[in-house]
Amino acid sequence: MQNVRITPNALEISYLGSVVESAKQLAIQKHREYPNLHRYQQQINTIVSQHDPAWRLSLIDLLQPLFDFAYRNTEAADAIRENRAIIIAVGSYIYKSELRRFLPIGLVYSKELPVYAYKRVDIPQHFIASALLAAVDAKLLGEQLGVDKELGDAEKGSGFSFIDLSADRAGTKFGTLAISTTERARELQKVLSQIKDYSAIIPDVQDLPEHMDAQTFKNRYQTVGSPKYAATVAEIDRRISDLPLYRTD
């Protein structure tokens, strides 16, 4: 629940949607600000058309060449705008069916391949949705939606997953870094242009608990904010911060 308003004649209740829905709406609002969005989407089409189907399409297979292009072919002063466009473009491919009706993609992708990290499709999905939210200045919303989604999954669905939550938090960190300052945005382009593996942007957290239904989560962690829950989140954040890309010292 996002807000409750009581008037003399009505009770109005508004709700936060899913990470995907919120990212979609923000993309709709923002896409006109990025004149190079279509160009990055065309590059994605080229990447997937040339991809060997015998191999999984990695998240870094999309991000690395786009950031390399931005670093080599756009002005340093436009780094924040270009980074946002790249994140929206990658989101428009990973969430093809959800975003296609709302973004001016103008493309029929030659191959519609799932995107992987650590042999999973849910990790890139969580990462790019949270990065998209953060990149359009919705950092706190992105973090809260990540928690809300996992709690919802505990009640019904695949169960609460600290692995998915880790991807949410890494994506938020990535999206925030991508637009923090012009200098950092440009440096991110330079670093991403040389990265060859998704482990540079998302830590390996496959040892963390997942698939916990509501009762299992309660038995193990009591509630969000309990010392045990906070310790697990702190461990997630430590692993993210240990990646050279996110180090601030």
Side-chain angles (χ1 to χ4, degrees):
M1 186 179 298
Q2 183 179 34
N3 187 44
V4 176
R5 188 166 74 93
I6 300 174
T7 69
N9 300 314
L11 171 64
E12 298 178 0
I13 303 174
S14 59
Y15 296 90
L16 290 174
S18 69
V19 170
V20 175
E21 181 64 25
S22 298
K24 178 177 69 178
Q25 293 303 321
L26 286 166
I28 296 167
Q29 297 167 18
K30 293 286 183 177
H31 75 264
R32 291 183 180 86
E33 299 175 15
Y34 310 112
N36 288 337
L37 175 58
H38 191 266
R39 181 163 63 176
Y40 291 122
Q41 291 170 327
Q42 287 178 321
Q43 289 186 59
I44 291 174
N45 198 37
T46 300
I47 292 167
V48 299
S49 68
Q50 297 174 352
H51 184 75
D52 183 351
W55 297 87
R56 294 184 181 92
L57 178 66
S58 164
L59 177 60
I60 211 68
D61 292 336
L62 299 181
L63 291 175
Q64 187 275 330
L66 299 188
F67 277 99
D68 180 61
F69 177 88
Y71 182 64
R72 296 177 185 277
N73 298 281
T74 64
E75 298 293 329
D78 297 328
I80 289 176
R81 185 191 69 188
E82 297 303 310
N83 290 355
R84 281 196 177 115
I86 290 170
I87 292 170
I88 293 173
V90 174
S92 74
Y93 183 76
I94 290 179
Y95 287 111
K96 293 177 286 291
S97 60
E98 291 88 350
L99 290 174
R100 180 168 290 149
R101 292 187 297 116
F102 300 94
L103 286 175
I105 297 176
L107 293 172
V108 175
Y109 289 110
S110 57
K111 294 180 182 178
E112 299 196 354
L113 304 175
V115 180
Y116 289 88
Y118 297 105
K119 300 181 180 180
R120 299 171 60 132
V121 297
D122 55 340
I123 290 177
Q125 290 170 350
H126 280 259
F127 178 89
I128 204 65
S130 294
L132 177 53
L133 288 166
V136 291
D137 302 321
K139 177 177 182 292
L140 295 178
L141 177 62
E143 290 181 349
Q144 186 57 47
L145 284 173
V147 174
D148 290 347
K149 180 190 182 302
E150 294 312 313
L151 291 175
D153 283 345
E155 295 290 344
K156 55 181 180 179
S158 57
F160 189 101
S161 170
F162 278 110
I163 295 176
D164 288 347
L165 187 60
S166 300
D168 290 328
R169 296 180 79 84
T172 298
K173 191 94 169 180
F174 183 88
T176 302
L177 178 62
I179 63 162
S180 56
T181 66
T182 299
E183 292 74 19
R184 289 185 178 180
R186 187 63 168 174
E187 181 63 21
L188 179 69
Q189 292 177 356
K190 180 180 179 181
V191 172
L192 263 291
S193 71
Q194 302 168 9
I195 283 177
K196 302 300 182 184
D197 192 85
Y198 50 74
S199 61
I201 59 175
I202 309 172
D204 187 353
V205 291
Q206 296 177 91
D207 59 321
L208 296 180
E210 62 176 340
H211 303 311
M212 291 181 287
D213 60 23
Q215 188 59 51
T216 302
F217 179 87
K218 184 177 180 180
N219 291 341
R220 288 193 188 183
Y221 295 94
Q222 288 77 56
T223 185
V224 172
S226 71
K228 188 173 182 180
Y229 178 90
T232 304
V233 173
E235 171 62 16
I236 290 170
D237 289 342
R238 182 194 66 77
R239 296 189 194 186
I240 294 171
S241 297
D242 280 349
L243 297 179
L245 181 68
Y246 302 126
R247 289 178 187 162
T248 56
D249 49 66

